[in-house]
Amino acid sequence: MQGPWEERDGVLRYRTKSGVEIYRLPIRLFPELDGYVYLILADDHRILVDAGSGLPESLEDLRRGFEILRARYGCQVDLHQLTAILITHGHIDHFGGLASIRQQSPAPVFVHELDRRVLVNYSERLITVAQEIRYFLNQAGVSPERQSALLNLYLSMKALFQSTPVEGLLTDGEMLFGILRVHHTPGHCPGQVCLQIDEVLLTSDHILAHTTPHQAPERITRYTGLGHYLESLRRVAAIPDIALAFGGHEDPILNPYERIAAIEAFHHQRLERVLEICKEPRTIAEVSKALFGRQYGYGVLLALLEAGAHVEYLYDRGYLQVANLDQLENEPGTPIRYRRL
Ligand SMILES: [Zn+2]
Ligand SMILES: [Zn+2]
């Protein structure tokens, strides 16, 4: 993709209007997921944004990215010289590499307070959320065997990360190091932040060039959910003069305001579709099947959560009603069926 940046050996450099240098390093994250970490250089600051997944190939790509910075851009920079590590949100593909990076870097780690617990007590986060997910799956009409399989898959991530301390917080509206403006944009994740450097916005997983970022119901994790997400899109749309956005995955975004409008339109269409599906009473599992067809592995859980986020949004705002109230009253734990009002 061509744009107002240069690219050498896959590492992209963009210089903002005040002269801050942003480097984008490509990183393999999981077998079917690629993304980026960013290095920001200004004055004496050497700031790493995100840490990759921590899998061997992810750490290897990070090491190689720094090698390219030195060999092809002449930046004499290495992990042990970092001045700060910022984590854009508490998803493993963005912070999983922290424990390894910290073995080489004494730099303080910053994250939004709503995602701090994920980093400092990862097991607690997984185990408590697993309980909420089980409750959700049960009400969604997923069979007990399938619930257990999905939860085992979810909990298998426990082995991927060792908790790590957090030294600093990313606070909404704050100007960090005189370089970065922090924008809290909850929805995709409670502590999701976008980081603004002059005319550039690092959007992480809040806004991506091609995919509409994944949503989950806020009944599972507070500050997520489609309502918060759409509000956060509006927040970013109200930031003036963003010329370019770089996401945590996928291509740079040359028209960020248009991209926001497209994502909003996409969700409104999906909400319409859910209302259509719920002309007849439907469980969330049935809505998921109608929206996404048959899914496999972790995709099953992602599809159910995405469907659940849309059903929740509509139900909370009075567009859906519970169709099987009597059954719910007499048989606790029975799946909920939603019908369009
Ligand atoms: Zn994410
Ligand atoms: Zn991500």
Side-chain angles (χ1 to χ4, degrees):
M1 187 177 179
Q2 295 292 312
W5 51 74
E6 58 183 308
E7 196 167 337
R8 299 179 188 172
D9 291 350
V11 172
L12 177 155
R13 172 166 72 182
Y14 180 83
R15 203 176 264 123
T16 72
K17 61 186 180 192
S18 76
V20 175
E21 290 185 345
I22 301 172
Y23 292 87
R24 190 189 76 169
L25 282 55
I27 304 276
R28 285 168 292 170
L29 298 166
F30 288 109
E32 285 174 37
L33 185 67
D34 294 340
Y36 304 100
V37 303
Y38 292 86
L39 182 72
I40 294 161
L41 301 184
D43 305 323
D44 294 333
H45 298 287
R46 291 175 294 275
I47 303 162
L48 186 69
V49 176
D50 284 339
S53 68
L55 290 188
E57 56 267 38
S58 181
L59 294 167
E60 167 60 23
D61 287 355
L62 184 66
R63 193 193 57 70
R64 188 169 167 272
F66 272 81
E67 229 170 71
I68 294 167
L69 285 177
R70 289 190 294 271
R72 301 284 280 122
Y73 284 105
C75 298
Q76 292 315 309
V77 61
D78 208 345
L79 285 176
H80 70 266
Q81 296 165 319
L82 294 175
T83 55
I85 302 170
L86 315 185
I87 299 299
T88 59
H89 67 294
H91 285 167
I92 191 81
D93 55 321
H94 295 258
F95 70 79
L98 258 185
S100 302
I101 291 172
R102 298 204 84 164
Q103 289 173 5
Q104 300 168 65
S105 166
V109 169
F110 290 70
V111 69
H112 189 274
E113 62 183 356
L114 288 175
D115 281 349
R116 176 168 50 180
R117 280 189 310 124
V118 181
L119 269 56
V120 300
N121 201 343
Y122 186 58
S123 304
E124 177 194 275
R125 158 77 191 171
L126 278 189
I127 291 165
T128 54
V129 169
Q131 297 218 348
E132 301 295 335
I133 293 177
R134 184 182 283 284
Y135 189 62
F136 163 77
L137 292 174
N138 191 53
Q139 283 200 334
V142 175
S143 70
E145 303 77 51
R146 191 143 226 208
Q147 287 176 33
S148 297
L150 290 173
L151 282 165
N152 286 338
L153 213 54
Y154 179 78
L155 287 168
S156 68
M157 292 198 301
K158 220 167 49 165
L160 286 181
F161 186 71
Q162 281 185 324
S163 298
T164 183
V166 165
E167 286 79 20
L169 293 179
L170 299 172
T171 305
D172 185 50
E174 177 189 17
M175 189 70 162
L176 203 62
F177 313 125
I179 302 170
L180 295 124
R181 174 82 62 194
V182 177
H183 298 279
H184 181 216
T185 52
H188 171 75
C189 196
Q192 174 77 68
V193 294
C194 293
L195 301 168
Q196 184 184 359
I197 308 149
D198 295 326
E199 74 278 23
V200 174
L201 193 66
L202 302 183
T203 53
S204 180
D205 285 2
H206 181 50
I207 302 167
L208 297 171
H210 308 297
T211 311
T212 50
H214 176 65
Q215 304 298 318
E218 63 177 300
R219 53 174 290 189
I220 294 174
T221 304
R222 287 180 292 280
Y223 294 94
T224 64
L226 190 57
H228 289 293
Y229 178 70
L230 293 174
E231 274 171 29
S232 293
L233 282 183
R234 288 283 95 213
R235 292 200 70 188
V236 174
I239 304 171
D241 306 321
I242 301 295
L244 179 61
F246 290 112
H249 312 267
E250 306 183 356
D251 289 326
I253 304 164
L254 289 161
N255 47 3
Y257 302 104
E258 278 175 37
R259 181 62 193 138
I260 290 170
I263 294 174
E264 286 174 324
F266 178 92
H267 281 299
H268 287 295
Q269 276 174 13
R270 182 165 279 171
L271 289 167
E272 285 296 329
R273 175 99 176 86
V274 171
L275 285 176
E276 192 64 29
I277 293 164
C278 292
K279 269 188 188 160
E280 300 297 321
R282 302 283 186 210
T283 64
I284 287 173
E286 288 165 348
V287 172
S288 173
K289 186 88 185 292
L291 284 175
F292 306 112
R294 193 169 163 76
Q295 297 287 317
Y296 299 91
Y298 207 64
V300 177
L301 184 59
L302 292 179
L304 285 162
L305 293 171
E306 184 81 26
H310 286 77
V311 167
E312 175 185 80
Y313 181 92
L314 291 165
Y315 177 72
D316 284 353
R317 286 158 183 77
Y319 298 104
L320 292 174
Q321 67 178 166
V322 173
N324 57 339
L325 263 189
D326 286 350
Q327 204 185 2
L328 277 185
E329 201 176 2
N330 299 319
E331 302 165 39
T334 204
I336 298 180
R337 295 186 176 278
Y338 295 92
R339 181 170 46 213
R340 179 182 192 156
L341 264 169

Coordinates of all heavy atoms in Angstrom, one line a residue, residues 89-94 188-189 192 204-206 214 249, ligand 1:
H89 N -4.3 -2.1 24.9 CA -5.5 -2.7 25.5 C -5.1 -4.1 26.0 O -4.1 -4.7 25.5 CB -6.7 -2.7 24.7 CG -6.7 -3.6 23.4 ND1 -5.8 -3.3 22.4 CD2 -7.4 -4.7 23.1 CE1 -6.0 -4.2 21.4 NE2 -7.0 -5.1 21.8
G90 N -5.9 -4.7 26.9 CA -5.6 -5.9 27.5 C -6.0 -7.2 26.8 O -6.7 -8.0 27.3
H91 N -5.6 -7.2 25.5 CA -5.8 -8.5 24.8 C -4.4 -9.1 24.5 O -3.4 -8.4 24.2 CB -6.5 -8.3 23.4 CG -8.0 -8.0 23.6 ND1 -8.8 -7.6 22.6 CD2 -8.8 -8.2 24.6 CE1 -10.0 -7.5 23.0 NE2 -10.1 -7.9 24.3
I92 N -4.3 -10.4 24.6 CA -3.0 -11.1 24.6 C -2.2 -10.8 23.4 O -0.9 -10.8 23.5 CB -3.3 -12.6 24.8 CG1 -2.0 -13.4 25.1 CG2 -4.0 -13.2 23.7 CD1 -1.6 -13.3 26.5
D93 N -2.8 -10.6 22.2 CA -2.0 -10.3 21.0 C -1.3 -8.9 21.1 O -0.5 -8.6 20.3 CB -2.8 -10.4 19.7 CG -4.1 -9.5 19.7 OD1 -4.7 -9.4 20.8 OD2 -4.4 -9.0 18.7
H94 N -1.7 -8.1 22.1 CA -1.0 -6.8 22.3 C -0.1 -6.7 23.5 O 0.8 -5.9 23.5 CB -2.1 -5.7 22.4 CG -2.9 -5.6 21.1 ND1 -2.7 -4.6 20.1 CD2 -3.8 -6.5 20.5 CE1 -3.5 -4.8 19.1 NE2 -4.2 -5.9 19.3
H188 N -14.3 -2.3 22.4 CA -13.6 -3.6 22.0 C -13.0 -4.2 23.2 O -12.9 -5.4 23.4 CB -12.6 -3.2 20.9 CG -11.7 -4.4 20.6 ND1 -12.1 -5.4 19.8 CD2 -10.4 -4.6 20.9 CE1 -11.1 -6.3 19.7 NE2 -10.0 -5.8 20.4
C189 N -12.5 -3.4 24.1 CA -11.9 -3.8 25.4 C -12.1 -2.7 26.4 O -12.1 -1.5 26.0 CB -10.4 -4.0 25.1 SG -9.5 -5.0 26.4
Q192 N -9.3 0.0 26.3 CA -8.8 0.4 24.9 C -8.5 1.9 24.9 O -9.3 2.7 25.2 CB -9.9 0.0 23.9 CG -9.5 0.4 22.5 CD -8.5 -0.5 21.8 OE1 -8.8 -1.6 21.5 NE2 -7.3 0.0 21.6
S204 N -5.0 1.1 17.3 CA -5.0 -0.3 17.9 C -6.1 -1.1 17.4 O -6.3 -1.1 16.1 CB -5.1 -0.1 19.4 OG -5.1 -1.4 20.1
D205 N -7.0 -1.7 18.2 CA -8.1 -2.5 17.7 C -9.4 -1.7 17.7 O -10.5 -2.3 17.5 CB -8.3 -3.8 18.5 CG -7.2 -4.8 18.1 OD1 -6.3 -4.5 17.3 OD2 -7.2 -5.9 18.7
H206 N -9.4 -0.4 18.0 CA -10.6 0.3 18.0 C -11.1 0.5 16.6 O -12.3 0.4 16.3 CB -10.4 1.6 18.8 CG -11.6 2.5 18.9 ND1 -12.8 2.0 19.3 CD2 -11.9 3.8 18.6 CE1 -13.8 2.9 19.3 NE2 -13.2 4.0 18.8
H214 N -13.9 -6.8 16.8 CA -14.7 -7.8 17.5 C -15.4 -7.1 18.7 O -14.9 -6.3 19.4 CB -13.9 -8.9 18.0 CG -14.6 -9.9 18.8 ND1 -15.6 -10.7 18.3 CD2 -14.5 -10.3 20.1 CE1 -16.1 -11.5 19.2 NE2 -15.5 -11.2 20.4
H249 N -3.6 -4.0 13.5 CA -3.6 -5.0 12.5 C -4.0 -4.3 11.2 O -4.5 -3.2 11.2 CB -4.6 -6.1 12.8 CG -4.6 -6.6 14.2 ND1 -3.8 -7.7 14.5 CD2 -5.2 -6.2 15.3 CE1 -4.0 -8.0 15.8 NE2 -4.8 -7.1 16.3
Ligands
ZN1 ZN -8.1 -6.6 20.7

